[in-house]
Structure formats: C-alpha cells, structure tokens
Amino acid sequence: MNKVHFELVSPESLLVSEEVDMVVVPGTEGDFGVLVGHAPVMTSVRPGVLEIHNENTNTKRLFVSGGVCEVTSERCTVLAEESIDVEELDRVNLEERLQNAREDIEDSKNESERHRAEVSVQLFEEMLRAAN
Amino acid sequence: MPSLKDLRNRISSVQSTQKITQAMKMVAASKLRRAQEQVEASRPYAERMDRILSSLSASLGTQESAPRLLVGTGTDAVHLVVIATAERGLCGAFNSSIARAARLHIRELTSQGKTVKVLCVGKKGRDILRREFGGLMLDTVDLGGVRRLSFSDAALISERIIGLYNDEEFDVCTIFFNTFKSVMSQDVTERQLVPAAIRVVDGESGEETDSIIPEFEPDEIEILETLVPRNLAVQVYRALLENAASEQGARMTAMDNATRNAGDMIDGLRLNYNRSRQAVITNELIEIISGAEAL
C-alpha cells in the first residue's frame, strides 16, 4: 500500500480520515509534504493552507488555524482547532474581520488583550492570503 | 373534609404538572442524545492528543525546562477548584452531588492549611456554595446563553485558568464535574488540570511505533508549550461535555420519577373524589326517602 492514512481532527469532531497520496502541511518551520514512508516527525502547525493530494481527484485545500501534526511512516495526524475549506472563505467578510481585529489592537487595554488581537490579525491575514 | 370542587381543582392542577414533567422528560431525552453525540465526537481528538503528549513527555524525560503548566510550580500551597455544574435545576441530585464533593475537598484542603480559590462554571454551583465559600470565589463563568457547547467556550475558560496561573494566583488546579455513566447514574469526578497529569506510555503497553523517537520541529519544549495549553482546553471541554450529558440524564430520571409520582397522586385524589361524590348522593337519597316516609 503506498498511501498515507491522513486524519484531520478538531476537538469537536473527526473531520477527515482517509487514505491519500500526499498531504502538504503548513508547519511552523515551513510547509512540508508527507508521502508514505516519511520519517517520524512531530511538529506544530501554523495557520495556513493544508493540501490533500490524490491522484484521481482534485486537490483539496483546507485552511487550518494552527495545531500540531504527528507523522509516522504510514500515518499523518493533524490536530487543529478549526478548519475550513478554502473555497468557502469569503474575501469581503474576511477583510472586514481583519479590519476589526486591527482596530482591536489599537483599542487593547492590556498585554493579553493585545496579544489576542495580534494573533487574530495574523490568522485573518493568512486566511485572506489563502482566499486569494 | 375538602369539598368536591376543591378535589376537582387539585386533580386538574396535578394533571397539568404531570404534563409539564412529561414534556421536560422528552426534551431532556432528545438533548441527552445530542450531548452524547458530542461526547462521542470529541473522543478522537482527546485520544490523539493523549498519544502525542505521552510520547512527547516520554522522549522529554525529566528535563528541567519543561513548561510550568506541565511540571507545576513545585509547591501546592494555593489550590484552584473549578466547579462545573448546570445552569438549571430540576435535575435530581446532579448539582448537589457535585457541590457536596467539592465542599468536602475544599474543607479538607483548608484543614491542611492550604489556600483555596474557587471558580464556578454554571450558576447552580455558585448558588449552592456561595453561603459557605463566598469569600473564596474568584468568579463565575455563565454558560446560560450557550445553546450548544462549543470548543471555544471551553477555550475561554482554560484561557482564564492559564492567565491566573501565569499571574501566580494558584499552584494546583482541579476540576469537579459529573461523568456520564448511564441515564440512571452519574459519577462525580475530580480531575487535576494543573500540573497536567499525563499518563506516560509504559514499554509494555505502548505500541511498537512509539519506540521510534520522532524528529521534533521546532523542538520538544516549543511543541509542548503550544500543546499543553491546548490539552488543558481539551480537558475542560471534555469535562463540560460529560457534564452536559450527565445533566440531561439526571433530568430525564428526575422528571420520569416526577411524572410517576404525579400519576400516583392523581389516582389517590380520584379515589377520594369518587368516594365523597358517592357519599353526597347517598346522603341526598336518605334525605328524600326519610322525607317521603314522614308524610
């Protein structure tokens, strides 16, 4: 068998669990592709686009909001808090939310509020980039 | 001796109560099914998180630089007790059994000279414990407006806990909630959140793949640092889900009992009613007959 068993899990459900040819995971240290027989790696995932490649069907692109990824030679498991199909990202809506988040940075009163706003700005910027 | 009209009124009032409890039972049953599905759906994530964490901490060994959320502050002078209860009553002993366990725990800690702080999730726990531990309560998280519990609700709570921990407000954190066993029985569970209690996979029980130490990117510590707070959120999320399922189960049982009790009561009242109705008729007949005889 030369397929990777790929699983995408969010706390609320098991989103994807299937045999695929290759997945491209947006790791914190850079994107990397996982094929069968990959060396075992454990890495954190940054907000970005995760690609699922299959020979016969179209490439599926999902946006994940960050998490962790565990790779063994026959398995690739991504734990992500949130994930959304790139096709479903709405540019106008995102720009609005990005704008709001930027304003939140200005309005933030303390360190943790500011930090949270900055994280969401980053998230929305990544989402926008993915949507384009 | 109540009059016939009084009895009739009572019967109809008990009947309408019975209708309400029956409806509540139905509602609880359907909510229970949904809550159970949610618990089911959250399981894969928690299982994989456990697996990753245990292999991480196994490869980490006993390094000093592990995140503080994992190893603790080294003391246990200040305890934070998170008490997860329901927002609503009418669910049997559900809320009071959590409150009882938490009360015992808090008393024991204070008798050992530890400082205790309390964070309530859900209104009922606060109401029950306010009189005794009002001074210890930091805050209450109100989930009253939440219709379907989502992960972000749990994430907010865990952020609060982590914030408090980083401000060195406490050393050890435990959460109290009910584990759903069956519709009839729920177990009060106490789980330690901070320092995180991680089961390290033993050589014998671990899978073969676990013996290969994977590469870490960026490195173990950094991954742990993002993972441990997430794990906390997952633990809180699971506790809240279990709690939600238990609450509906407890309510279902309680309402089932209430419906049955109302039925018994109606039977008794109806017997009484018929008896006094017959007595009245007999009385009237006696009056008529004795009147006729007197002529």
Side-chain angles (χ1 to χ4, degrees), chain A residues 7 9-13 29 40-44 67-68 70 77 79 81 116, chain B residues 41-42 45 48 51-52 55 150-151 159 214-217 223 227 230 237:
Chain A
E7 279 179 341
V9 203
S10 85
E12 277 159 31
S13 65
E29 310 266 276
V41 166
M42 203 173 281
T43 175
S44 43
V68 257
E70 186 204 24
T77 313
L79 303 185
E81 249 98 276
R116 195 176 304 159
Chain B
S42 78
Y45 189 88
R48 284 161 184 81
R51 197 177 65 205
I52 292 179
S55 77
S150 75
F151 183 67
E159 258 174 49
E215 239 176 84
F216 293 98
E217 210 183 281
I223 297 180
L227 211 57
R230 281 210 173 103
Y237 183 57

PDB file of all heavy atoms in Angstrom, chain A residues 7 9-13 29 40-44 67-68 70 77 79 81 116, chain B residues 41-42 45 48 51-52 55 150-151 159 214-217 223 227 230 237:
ATOM      1  N   GLU A   7      -5.380  11.927   8.867  1.00  0.00           N
ATOM      2  CA  GLU A   7      -6.500  12.270   9.746  1.00  0.00           C
ATOM      3  C   GLU A   7      -6.427  13.728  10.137  1.00  0.00           C
ATOM      4  O   GLU A   7      -5.359  14.217  10.526  1.00  0.00           O
ATOM      5  CB  GLU A   7      -6.458  11.418  11.020  1.00  0.00           C
ATOM      6  CG  GLU A   7      -7.021  10.046  10.818  1.00  0.00           C
ATOM      7  CD  GLU A   7      -6.954   9.214  12.081  1.00  0.00           C
ATOM      8  OE1 GLU A   7      -6.164   9.558  12.991  1.00  0.00           O
ATOM      9  OE2 GLU A   7      -7.687   8.235  12.161  1.00  0.00           O
ATOM     10  N   VAL A   9      -8.239  16.160  12.792  1.00  0.00           N
ATOM     11  CA  VAL A   9      -9.142  16.062  13.933  1.00  0.00           C
ATOM     12  C   VAL A   9      -9.282  17.420  14.593  1.00  0.00           C
ATOM     13  O   VAL A   9      -8.288  18.106  14.843  1.00  0.00           O
ATOM     14  CB  VAL A   9      -8.598  15.074  14.996  1.00  0.00           C
ATOM     15  CG1 VAL A   9      -9.723  14.570  15.848  1.00  0.00           C
ATOM     16  CG2 VAL A   9      -7.871  13.932  14.365  1.00  0.00           C
ATOM     17  N   SER A  10     -10.511  17.820  14.845  1.00  0.00           N
ATOM     18  CA  SER A  10     -10.748  19.017  15.649  1.00  0.00           C
ATOM     19  C   SER A  10     -11.371  18.552  16.953  1.00  0.00           C
ATOM     20  O   SER A  10     -11.865  17.437  17.037  1.00  0.00           O
ATOM     21  CB  SER A  10     -11.672  19.975  14.911  1.00  0.00           C
ATOM     22  OG  SER A  10     -13.003  19.614  15.149  1.00  0.00           O
ATOM     23  N   PRO A  11     -11.329  19.405  17.981  1.00  0.00           N
ATOM     24  CA  PRO A  11     -11.900  18.957  19.257  1.00  0.00           C
ATOM     25  C   PRO A  11     -13.358  18.568  19.124  1.00  0.00           C
ATOM     26  O   PRO A  11     -13.863  17.771  19.903  1.00  0.00           O
ATOM     27  CB  PRO A  11     -11.765  20.193  20.154  1.00  0.00           C
ATOM     28  CG  PRO A  11     -10.715  21.004  19.544  1.00  0.00           C
ATOM     29  CD  PRO A  11     -10.746  20.729  18.078  1.00  0.00           C
ATOM     30  N   GLU A  12     -14.051  19.145  18.147  1.00  0.00           N
ATOM     31  CA  GLU A  12     -15.473  18.864  18.058  1.00  0.00           C
ATOM     32  C   GLU A  12     -15.802  17.639  17.214  1.00  0.00           C
ATOM     33  O   GLU A  12     -16.870  17.053  17.382  1.00  0.00           O
ATOM     34  CB  GLU A  12     -16.218  20.096  17.545  1.00  0.00           C
ATOM     35  CG  GLU A  12     -16.493  21.045  18.701  1.00  0.00           C
ATOM     36  CD  GLU A  12     -16.750  22.460  18.258  1.00  0.00           C
ATOM     37  OE1 GLU A  12     -17.269  22.650  17.170  1.00  0.00           O
ATOM     38  OE2 GLU A  12     -16.403  23.375  19.028  1.00  0.00           O
ATOM     39  N   SER A  13     -14.913  17.271  16.301  1.00  0.00           N
ATOM     40  CA  SER A  13     -15.189  16.047  15.545  1.00  0.00           C
ATOM     41  C   SER A  13     -13.964  15.594  14.774  1.00  0.00           C
ATOM     42  O   SER A  13     -12.972  16.301  14.657  1.00  0.00           O
ATOM     43  CB  SER A  13     -16.349  16.262  14.576  1.00  0.00           C
ATOM     44  OG  SER A  13     -15.975  17.206  13.611  1.00  0.00           O
ATOM     45  N   GLU A  29       7.935  25.649  10.806  1.00  0.00           N
ATOM     46  CA  GLU A  29       9.248  25.858  10.205  1.00  0.00           C
ATOM     47  C   GLU A  29       9.179  25.774   8.691  1.00  0.00           C
ATOM     48  O   GLU A  29      10.207  25.646   8.039  1.00  0.00           O
ATOM     49  CB  GLU A  29      10.224  24.801  10.718  1.00  0.00           C
ATOM     50  CG  GLU A  29      10.243  24.665  12.202  1.00  0.00           C
ATOM     51  CD  GLU A  29      11.318  25.501  12.847  1.00  0.00           C
ATOM     52  OE1 GLU A  29      12.455  25.042  12.914  1.00  0.00           O
ATOM     53  OE2 GLU A  29      11.001  26.632  13.284  1.00  0.00           O
ATOM     54  N   PRO A  40       9.416   9.685  10.941  1.00  0.00           N
ATOM     55  CA  PRO A  40       8.536  10.188  12.002  1.00  0.00           C
ATOM     56  C   PRO A  40       8.916  11.601  12.437  1.00  0.00           C
ATOM     57  O   PRO A  40      10.074  11.870  12.753  1.00  0.00           O
ATOM     58  CB  PRO A  40       8.721   9.185  13.138  1.00  0.00           C
ATOM     59  CG  PRO A  40       9.858   8.329  12.768  1.00  0.00           C
ATOM     60  CD  PRO A  40      10.063   8.425  11.311  1.00  0.00           C
ATOM     61  N   VAL A  41       7.932  12.480  12.398  1.00  0.00           N
ATOM     62  CA  VAL A  41       8.163  13.886  12.750  1.00  0.00           C
ATOM     63  C   VAL A  41       7.002  14.339  13.605  1.00  0.00           C
ATOM     64  O   VAL A  41       5.876  13.888  13.438  1.00  0.00           O
ATOM     65  CB  VAL A  41       8.234  14.764  11.475  1.00  0.00           C
ATOM     66  CG1 VAL A  41       8.129  16.231  11.820  1.00  0.00           C
ATOM     67  CG2 VAL A  41       9.508  14.510  10.706  1.00  0.00           C
ATOM     68  N   MET A  42       7.300  15.216  14.533  1.00  0.00           N
ATOM     69  CA  MET A  42       6.224  15.854  15.277  1.00  0.00           C
ATOM     70  C   MET A  42       6.457  17.348  15.194  1.00  0.00           C
ATOM     71  O   MET A  42       7.552  17.818  15.484  1.00  0.00           O
ATOM     72  CB  MET A  42       6.247  15.385  16.712  1.00  0.00           C
ATOM     73  CG  MET A  42       4.928  15.522  17.379  1.00  0.00           C
ATOM     74  SD  MET A  42       4.997  14.779  18.975  1.00  0.00           S
ATOM     75  CE  MET A  42       4.841  13.070  18.556  1.00  0.00           C
ATOM     76  N   THR A  43       5.463  18.067  14.763  1.00  0.00           N
ATOM     77  CA  THR A  43       5.692  19.496  14.581  1.00  0.00           C
ATOM     78  C   THR A  43       4.448  20.291  14.915  1.00  0.00           C
ATOM     79  O   THR A  43       3.342  19.766  14.875  1.00  0.00           O
ATOM     80  CB  THR A  43       6.130  19.800  13.129  1.00  0.00           C
ATOM     81  OG1 THR A  43       6.216  21.207  12.966  1.00  0.00           O
ATOM     82  CG2 THR A  43       5.143  19.256  12.130  1.00  0.00           C
ATOM     83  N   SER A  44       4.651  21.540  15.257  1.00  0.00           N
ATOM     84  CA  SER A  44       3.491  22.404  15.428  1.00  0.00           C
ATOM     85  C   SER A  44       3.111  22.963  14.061  1.00  0.00           C
ATOM     86  O   SER A  44       3.921  23.040  13.152  1.00  0.00           O
ATOM     87  CB  SER A  44       3.785  23.515  16.427  1.00  0.00           C
ATOM     88  OG  SER A  44       5.045  24.060  16.207  1.00  0.00           O
ATOM     89  N   GLY A  67      -2.122  24.176  15.084  1.00  0.00           N
ATOM     90  CA  GLY A  67      -2.279  22.990  15.908  1.00  0.00           C
ATOM     91  C   GLY A  67      -0.988  22.192  15.927  1.00  0.00           C
ATOM     92  O   GLY A  67       0.093  22.770  15.870  1.00  0.00           O
ATOM     93  N   VAL A  68      -1.124  20.886  15.968  1.00  0.00           N
ATOM     94  CA  VAL A  68       0.056  20.021  15.918  1.00  0.00           C
ATOM     95  C   VAL A  68      -0.141  18.941  14.877  1.00  0.00           C
ATOM     96  O   VAL A  68      -1.262  18.582  14.540  1.00  0.00           O
ATOM     97  CB  VAL A  68       0.339  19.294  17.251  1.00  0.00           C
ATOM     98  CG1 VAL A  68       1.453  19.948  17.982  1.00  0.00           C
ATOM     99  CG2 VAL A  68      -0.896  19.127  18.058  1.00  0.00           C
ATOM    100  N   GLU A  70       1.416  15.027  13.718  1.00  0.00           N
ATOM    101  CA  GLU A  70       2.259  13.885  14.038  1.00  0.00           C
ATOM    102  C   GLU A  70       2.361  13.010  12.807  1.00  0.00           C
ATOM    103  O   GLU A  70       1.351  12.649  12.207  1.00  0.00           O
ATOM    104  CB  GLU A  70       1.636  13.095  15.198  1.00  0.00           C
ATOM    105  CG  GLU A  70       2.522  11.985  15.691  1.00  0.00           C
ATOM    106  CD  GLU A  70       1.726  10.888  16.371  1.00  0.00           C
ATOM    107  OE1 GLU A  70       0.536  10.728  16.088  1.00  0.00           O
ATOM    108  OE2 GLU A  70       2.322  10.185  17.204  1.00  0.00           O
ATOM    109  N   THR A  77      -1.297  12.597  11.264  1.00  0.00           N
ATOM    110  CA  THR A  77      -2.421  13.087  12.055  1.00  0.00           C
ATOM    111  C   THR A  77      -2.237  14.572  12.323  1.00  0.00           C
ATOM    112  O   THR A  77      -1.187  14.975  12.831  1.00  0.00           O
ATOM    113  CB  THR A  77      -2.494  12.359  13.413  1.00  0.00           C
ATOM    114  OG1 THR A  77      -2.360  10.975  13.184  1.00  0.00           O
ATOM    115  CG2 THR A  77      -3.796  12.646  14.108  1.00  0.00           C
ATOM    116  N   LEU A  79      -3.857  17.716  14.387  1.00  0.00           N
ATOM    117  CA  LEU A  79      -4.825  18.193  15.363  1.00  0.00           C
ATOM    118  C   LEU A  79      -4.971  19.689  15.172  1.00  0.00           C
ATOM    119  O   LEU A  79      -4.000  20.428  15.341  1.00  0.00           O
ATOM    120  CB  LEU A  79      -4.362  17.915  16.792  1.00  0.00           C
ATOM    121  CG  LEU A  79      -4.042  16.487  17.201  1.00  0.00           C
ATOM    122  CD1 LEU A  79      -3.734  16.441  18.681  1.00  0.00           C
ATOM    123  CD2 LEU A  79      -5.197  15.578  16.906  1.00  0.00           C
ATOM    124  N   GLU A  81      -7.572  23.227  15.743  1.00  0.00           N
ATOM    125  CA  GLU A  81      -8.754  23.737  16.431  1.00  0.00           C
ATOM    126  C   GLU A  81      -9.901  23.979  15.455  1.00  0.00           C
ATOM    127  O   GLU A  81     -11.034  23.673  15.716  1.00  0.00           O
ATOM    128  CB  GLU A  81      -8.431  25.058  17.121  1.00  0.00           C
ATOM    129  CG  GLU A  81      -8.433  24.948  18.616  1.00  0.00           C
ATOM    130  CD  GLU A  81      -7.029  24.769  19.125  1.00  0.00           C
ATOM    131  OE1 GLU A  81      -6.529  23.632  19.145  1.00  0.00           O
ATOM    132  OE2 GLU A  81      -6.431  25.772  19.470  1.00  0.00           O
ATOM    133  N   ARG A 116      -3.986  38.759  22.040  1.00  0.00           N
ATOM    134  CA  ARG A 116      -5.058  38.011  21.405  1.00  0.00           C
ATOM    135  C   ARG A 116      -5.445  38.660  20.074  1.00  0.00           C
ATOM    136  O   ARG A 116      -5.656  37.981  19.068  1.00  0.00           O
ATOM    137  CB  ARG A 116      -6.277  37.953  22.345  1.00  0.00           C
ATOM    138  CG  ARG A 116      -7.269  36.903  21.921  1.00  0.00           C
ATOM    139  CD  ARG A 116      -8.401  36.778  22.902  1.00  0.00           C
ATOM    140  NE  ARG A 116      -7.948  36.509  24.258  1.00  0.00           N
ATOM    141  CZ  ARG A 116      -8.681  36.744  25.339  1.00  0.00           C
ATOM    142  NH1 ARG A 116      -9.889  37.264  25.212  1.00  0.00           N
ATOM    143  NH2 ARG A 116      -8.220  36.480  26.538  1.00  0.00           N
TER     144      ARG A 116
ATOM    145  N   ALA B  41     -18.036  12.579  19.610  1.00  0.00           N
ATOM    146  CA  ALA B  41     -17.259  13.253  18.563  1.00  0.00           C
ATOM    147  C   ALA B  41     -15.967  13.848  19.100  1.00  0.00           C
ATOM    148  O   ALA B  41     -15.009  14.040  18.361  1.00  0.00           O
ATOM    149  CB  ALA B  41     -18.103  14.341  17.910  1.00  0.00           C
ATOM    150  N   SER B  42     -15.941  14.148  20.391  1.00  0.00           N
ATOM    151  CA  SER B  42     -14.743  14.798  20.938  1.00  0.00           C
ATOM    152  C   SER B  42     -13.678  13.769  21.289  1.00  0.00           C
ATOM    153  O   SER B  42     -12.556  14.116  21.606  1.00  0.00           O
ATOM    154  CB  SER B  42     -15.103  15.600  22.183  1.00  0.00           C
ATOM    155  OG  SER B  42     -15.251  14.731  23.277  1.00  0.00           O
ATOM    156  N   TYR B  45     -10.084  13.369  19.106  1.00  0.00           N
ATOM    157  CA  TYR B  45      -9.100  14.417  19.344  1.00  0.00           C
ATOM    158  C   TYR B  45      -8.372  14.171  20.664  1.00  0.00           C
ATOM    159  O   TYR B  45      -7.147  14.206  20.736  1.00  0.00           O
ATOM    160  CB  TYR B  45      -9.802  15.772  19.381  1.00  0.00           C
ATOM    161  CG  TYR B  45      -8.880  16.959  19.399  1.00  0.00           C
ATOM    162  CD1 TYR B  45      -8.418  17.511  18.219  1.00  0.00           C
ATOM    163  CD2 TYR B  45      -8.470  17.544  20.602  1.00  0.00           C
ATOM    164  CE1 TYR B  45      -7.582  18.595  18.213  1.00  0.00           C
ATOM    165  CE2 TYR B  45      -7.631  18.632  20.605  1.00  0.00           C
ATOM    166  CZ  TYR B  45      -7.188  19.169  19.408  1.00  0.00           C
ATOM    167  OH  TYR B  45      -6.351  20.251  19.419  1.00  0.00           O
ATOM    168  N   ARG B  48      -5.911  11.234  20.454  1.00  0.00           N
ATOM    169  CA  ARG B  48      -4.670  11.515  19.737  1.00  0.00           C
ATOM    170  C   ARG B  48      -3.799  12.489  20.510  1.00  0.00           C
ATOM    171  O   ARG B  48      -2.570  12.379  20.511  1.00  0.00           O
ATOM    172  CB  ARG B  48      -4.989  12.028  18.336  1.00  0.00           C
ATOM    173  CG  ARG B  48      -5.410  10.887  17.456  1.00  0.00           C
ATOM    174  CD  ARG B  48      -6.150  11.328  16.234  1.00  0.00           C
ATOM    175  NE  ARG B  48      -6.605  10.167  15.479  1.00  0.00           N
ATOM    176  CZ  ARG B  48      -7.695   9.477  15.772  1.00  0.00           C
ATOM    177  NH1 ARG B  48      -8.448   9.828  16.796  1.00  0.00           N
ATOM    178  NH2 ARG B  48      -8.037   8.432  15.053  1.00  0.00           N
ATOM    179  N   ARG B  51      -2.001  10.557  23.025  1.00  0.00           N
ATOM    180  CA  ARG B  51      -0.925   9.765  22.449  1.00  0.00           C
ATOM    181  C   ARG B  51       0.299  10.651  22.191  1.00  0.00           C
ATOM    182  O   ARG B  51       1.422  10.302  22.546  1.00  0.00           O
ATOM    183  CB  ARG B  51      -1.412   9.146  21.142  1.00  0.00           C
ATOM    184  CG  ARG B  51      -0.546   8.001  20.672  1.00  0.00           C
ATOM    185  CD  ARG B  51      -1.109   7.382  19.425  1.00  0.00           C
ATOM    186  NE  ARG B  51      -1.078   8.316  18.310  1.00  0.00           N
ATOM    187  CZ  ARG B  51      -1.895   8.258  17.263  1.00  0.00           C
ATOM    188  NH1 ARG B  51      -2.818   7.341  17.207  1.00  0.00           N
ATOM    189  NH2 ARG B  51      -1.800   9.111  16.274  1.00  0.00           N
ATOM    190  N   ILE B  52       0.045  11.805  21.576  1.00  0.00           N
ATOM    191  CA  ILE B  52       1.153  12.699  21.246  1.00  0.00           C
ATOM    192  C   ILE B  52       1.831  13.192  22.518  1.00  0.00           C
ATOM    193  O   ILE B  52       3.061  13.183  22.641  1.00  0.00           O
ATOM    194  CB  ILE B  52       0.646  13.881  20.399  1.00  0.00           C
ATOM    195  CG1 ILE B  52       0.218  13.382  19.025  1.00  0.00           C
ATOM    196  CG2 ILE B  52       1.724  14.940  20.256  1.00  0.00           C
ATOM    197  CD1 ILE B  52      -0.327  14.431  18.119  1.00  0.00           C
ATOM    198  N   SER B  55       3.958  10.475  24.178  1.00  0.00           N
ATOM    199  CA  SER B  55       5.225  10.170  23.516  1.00  0.00           C
ATOM    200  C   SER B  55       6.178  11.353  23.648  1.00  0.00           C
ATOM    201  O   SER B  55       7.393  11.175  23.737  1.00  0.00           O
ATOM    202  CB  SER B  55       5.009   9.787  22.054  1.00  0.00           C
ATOM    203  OG  SER B  55       4.758  10.913  21.276  1.00  0.00           O
ATOM    204  N   SER B 150     -19.608  24.745  22.553  1.00  0.00           N
ATOM    205  CA  SER B 150     -18.580  24.600  21.530  1.00  0.00           C
ATOM    206  C   SER B 150     -17.211  24.678  22.186  1.00  0.00           C
ATOM    207  O   SER B 150     -17.076  25.066  23.334  1.00  0.00           O
ATOM    208  CB  SER B 150     -18.722  25.690  20.474  1.00  0.00           C
ATOM    209  OG  SER B 150     -18.261  26.906  21.000  1.00  0.00           O
ATOM    210  N   PHE B 151     -16.221  24.299  21.388  1.00  0.00           N
ATOM    211  CA  PHE B 151     -14.873  24.248  21.937  1.00  0.00           C
ATOM    212  C   PHE B 151     -14.407  25.623  22.397  1.00  0.00           C
ATOM    213  O   PHE B 151     -13.668  25.739  23.367  1.00  0.00           O
ATOM    214  CB  PHE B 151     -13.914  23.677  20.894  1.00  0.00           C
ATOM    215  CG  PHE B 151     -12.523  23.526  21.400  1.00  0.00           C
ATOM    216  CD1 PHE B 151     -12.227  22.617  22.388  1.00  0.00           C
ATOM    217  CD2 PHE B 151     -11.506  24.313  20.894  1.00  0.00           C
ATOM    218  CE1 PHE B 151     -10.949  22.472  22.873  1.00  0.00           C
ATOM    219  CE2 PHE B 151     -10.211  24.177  21.372  1.00  0.00           C
ATOM    220  CZ  PHE B 151      -9.933  23.262  22.361  1.00  0.00           C
ATOM    221  N   GLU B 159      -8.348  29.604  29.043  1.00  0.00           N
ATOM    222  CA  GLU B 159      -7.506  30.803  28.967  1.00  0.00           C
ATOM    223  C   GLU B 159      -7.505  31.539  30.302  1.00  0.00           C
ATOM    224  O   GLU B 159      -6.471  32.042  30.748  1.00  0.00           O
ATOM    225  CB  GLU B 159      -8.028  31.750  27.880  1.00  0.00           C
ATOM    226  CG  GLU B 159      -7.230  31.688  26.594  1.00  0.00           C
ATOM    227  CD  GLU B 159      -7.877  32.521  25.517  1.00  0.00           C
ATOM    228  OE1 GLU B 159      -8.219  33.698  25.788  1.00  0.00           O
ATOM    229  OE2 GLU B 159      -8.063  31.991  24.411  1.00  0.00           O
ATOM    230  N   PRO B 214      10.432  10.221  17.247  1.00  0.00           N
ATOM    231  CA  PRO B 214      10.339  11.041  16.050  1.00  0.00           C
ATOM    232  C   PRO B 214      11.218  12.292  16.141  1.00  0.00           C
ATOM    233  O   PRO B 214      11.722  12.627  17.213  1.00  0.00           O
ATOM    234  CB  PRO B 214       8.859  11.408  16.003  1.00  0.00           C
ATOM    235  CG  PRO B 214       8.390  11.296  17.397  1.00  0.00           C
ATOM    236  CD  PRO B 214       9.257  10.303  18.083  1.00  0.00           C
ATOM    237  N   GLU B 215      11.349  12.918  15.002  1.00  0.00           N
ATOM    238  CA  GLU B 215      12.058  14.192  14.998  1.00  0.00           C
ATOM    239  C   GLU B 215      11.095  15.270  15.468  1.00  0.00           C
ATOM    240  O   GLU B 215       9.893  15.186  15.218  1.00  0.00           O
ATOM    241  CB  GLU B 215      12.461  14.515  13.557  1.00  0.00           C
ATOM    242  CG  GLU B 215      13.937  14.682  13.358  1.00  0.00           C
ATOM    243  CD  GLU B 215      14.203  14.883  11.898  1.00  0.00           C
ATOM    244  OE1 GLU B 215      14.088  16.039  11.459  1.00  0.00           O
ATOM    245  OE2 GLU B 215      14.500  13.894  11.198  1.00  0.00           O
ATOM    246  N   PHE B 216      11.611  16.267  16.126  1.00  0.00           N
ATOM    247  CA  PHE B 216      10.720  17.323  16.585  1.00  0.00           C
ATOM    248  C   PHE B 216      11.059  18.625  15.890  1.00  0.00           C
ATOM    249  O   PHE B 216      12.225  18.941  15.665  1.00  0.00           O
ATOM    250  CB  PHE B 216      10.824  17.507  18.101  1.00  0.00           C
ATOM    251  CG  PHE B 216      10.320  16.337  18.847  1.00  0.00           C
ATOM    252  CD1 PHE B 216      11.194  15.379  19.325  1.00  0.00           C
ATOM    253  CD2 PHE B 216       8.966  16.166  19.046  1.00  0.00           C
ATOM    254  CE1 PHE B 216      10.723  14.279  19.990  1.00  0.00           C
ATOM    255  CE2 PHE B 216       8.496  15.067  19.718  1.00  0.00           C
ATOM    256  CZ  PHE B 216       9.369  14.122  20.200  1.00  0.00           C
ATOM    257  N   GLU B 217      10.007  19.348  15.551  1.00  0.00           N
ATOM    258  CA  GLU B 217      10.196  20.573  14.812  1.00  0.00           C
ATOM    259  C   GLU B 217       9.237  21.595  15.389  1.00  0.00           C
ATOM    260  O   GLU B 217       8.039  21.316  15.381  1.00  0.00           O
ATOM    261  CB  GLU B 217       9.834  20.295  13.334  1.00  0.00           C
ATOM    262  CG  GLU B 217      10.581  21.113  12.356  1.00  0.00           C
ATOM    263  CD  GLU B 217      10.083  20.807  10.953  1.00  0.00           C
ATOM    264  OE1 GLU B 217      10.466  19.792  10.400  1.00  0.00           O
ATOM    265  OE2 GLU B 217       9.288  21.603  10.454  1.00  0.00           O
ATOM    266  N   ILE B 223       7.051  22.632  21.167  1.00  0.00           N
ATOM    267  CA  ILE B 223       5.800  21.934  20.845  1.00  0.00           C
ATOM    268  C   ILE B 223       4.977  21.760  22.108  1.00  0.00           C
ATOM    269  O   ILE B 223       3.776  22.022  22.130  1.00  0.00           O
ATOM    270  CB  ILE B 223       6.087  20.561  20.211  1.00  0.00           C
ATOM    271  CG1 ILE B 223       6.818  20.753  18.886  1.00  0.00           C
ATOM    272  CG2 ILE B 223       4.797  19.808  19.980  1.00  0.00           C
ATOM    273  CD1 ILE B 223       7.149  19.471  18.194  1.00  0.00           C
ATOM    274  N   LEU B 227       1.251  22.813  23.042  1.00  0.00           N
ATOM    275  CA  LEU B 227       0.358  21.677  23.209  1.00  0.00           C
ATOM    276  C   LEU B 227      -0.301  21.639  24.583  1.00  0.00           C
ATOM    277  O   LEU B 227      -1.481  21.320  24.701  1.00  0.00           O
ATOM    278  CB  LEU B 227       1.166  20.391  22.993  1.00  0.00           C
ATOM    279  CG  LEU B 227       0.393  19.230  22.409  1.00  0.00           C
ATOM    280  CD1 LEU B 227      -0.228  19.624  21.100  1.00  0.00           C
ATOM    281  CD2 LEU B 227       1.319  18.053  22.230  1.00  0.00           C
ATOM    282  N   ARG B 230      -3.339  23.718  24.994  1.00  0.00           N
ATOM    283  CA  ARG B 230      -4.418  23.123  24.208  1.00  0.00           C
ATOM    284  C   ARG B 230      -5.001  21.938  24.940  1.00  0.00           C
ATOM    285  O   ARG B 230      -6.210  21.745  24.959  1.00  0.00           O
ATOM    286  CB  ARG B 230      -3.877  22.640  22.864  1.00  0.00           C
ATOM    287  CG  ARG B 230      -3.709  23.755  21.916  1.00  0.00           C
ATOM    288  CD  ARG B 230      -3.892  23.310  20.489  1.00  0.00           C
ATOM    289  NE  ARG B 230      -3.865  24.528  19.708  1.00  0.00           N
ATOM    290  CZ  ARG B 230      -2.806  24.920  18.998  1.00  0.00           C
ATOM    291  NH1 ARG B 230      -1.749  24.178  18.951  1.00  0.00           N
ATOM    292  NH2 ARG B 230      -2.853  26.055  18.333  1.00  0.00           N
ATOM    293  N   TYR B 237     -13.034  21.066  27.995  1.00  0.00           N
ATOM    294  CA  TYR B 237     -14.104  20.800  27.041  1.00  0.00           C
ATOM    295  C   TYR B 237     -14.757  19.457  27.318  1.00  0.00           C
ATOM    296  O   TYR B 237     -15.982  19.334  27.368  1.00  0.00           O
ATOM    297  CB  TYR B 237     -13.505  20.833  25.633  1.00  0.00           C
ATOM    298  CG  TYR B 237     -14.489  20.635  24.514  1.00  0.00           C
ATOM    299  CD1 TYR B 237     -15.585  21.476  24.371  1.00  0.00           C
ATOM    300  CD2 TYR B 237     -14.325  19.621  23.578  1.00  0.00           C
ATOM    301  CE1 TYR B 237     -16.473  21.310  23.337  1.00  0.00           C
ATOM    302  CE2 TYR B 237     -15.205  19.446  22.542  1.00  0.00           C
ATOM    303  CZ  TYR B 237     -16.283  20.293  22.421  1.00  0.00           C
ATOM    304  OH  TYR B 237     -17.170  20.116  21.399  1.00  0.00           O
TER     305      TYR B 237
END
